[in-house]
Amino acid sequence: MSSKLATYANLIIKYENQLKDVEKKTVEDGKKIVLMAESLSSQFRAVAEQVISQIFKEIDQTYSSQIQQLSKKYTEEREKEIEKIRKQAEKNVDRAMELVVSKLLEVYK
């Protein structure tokens, strides 16, 4: 009888340790997803700014009379694209957090 009790106790301890491991992995994965989303957003911003900078240089060399109009247009478009990406990144972060929370809730049920 006591050997069965000891076996049950060991199984419960093993199960709890596995739950803790799953919880840690889920939280770590959530953090990784958030960091990746932030990194991708920053990378896109850098690339977009670099491309637009190059476009401005070329335009300045050939069409100096149109710089102000094009500058305004491209700045607005760039801000719209950055805003879209930021919103998508926020949605991705929200989805990641929902996933983490749902997994945590599953673990604790």
Side-chain angles (χ1 to χ4, degrees):
M1 185 72 151
S2 66
S3 67
K4 285 185 180 182
L5 187 59
T7 301
Y8 290 140
N10 288 336
L11 289 174
I12 290 171
I13 291 171
K14 184 177 178 181
Y15 176 74
E16 288 177 353
N17 288 337
Q18 288 174 345
L19 281 178
K20 288 178 186 177
D21 289 343
V22 167
E23 178 183 341
K24 287 178 187 177
K25 288 179 184 177
T26 303
V27 170
E28 289 172 4
D29 288 346
K31 287 178 184 179
K32 287 178 185 176
I33 289 171
V34 169
L35 292 174
M36 285 173 44
E38 289 174 352
S39 174
L40 289 173
S41 178
S42 296
Q43 288 175 5
F44 180 79
R45 179 183 291 264
V47 169
E49 288 175 355
Q50 183 181 14
V51 168
I52 290 186
S53 176
Q54 182 63 31
I55 290 171
F56 286 153
K57 287 178 186 176
E58 292 174 9
I59 291 173
D60 192 31
Q61 292 172 0
T62 57
Y63 302 104
S64 61
S65 65
Q66 297 176 359
I67 288 177
Q68 290 180 346
Q69 292 173 347
L70 292 173
S71 175
K72 183 178 178 182
K73 178 184 173 186
Y74 287 124
T75 300
E76 289 172 357
E77 288 178 6
R78 181 183 74 192
E79 291 300 320
K80 286 178 186 177
E81 287 299 317
I82 290 171
E83 183 64 23
K84 285 180 187 177
I85 290 169
R86 185 187 62 77
K87 286 181 181 180
Q88 187 61 38
E90 287 175 357
K91 288 179 184 177
N92 288 343
V93 168
D94 289 344
R95 288 182 196 144
M97 293 307 295
E98 288 174 7
L99 177 64
V100 168
V101 169
S102 69
K103 293 298 180 184
L104 288 174
L105 289 174
E106 288 177 15
V107 166
Y108 286 110
K109 284 186 179 181

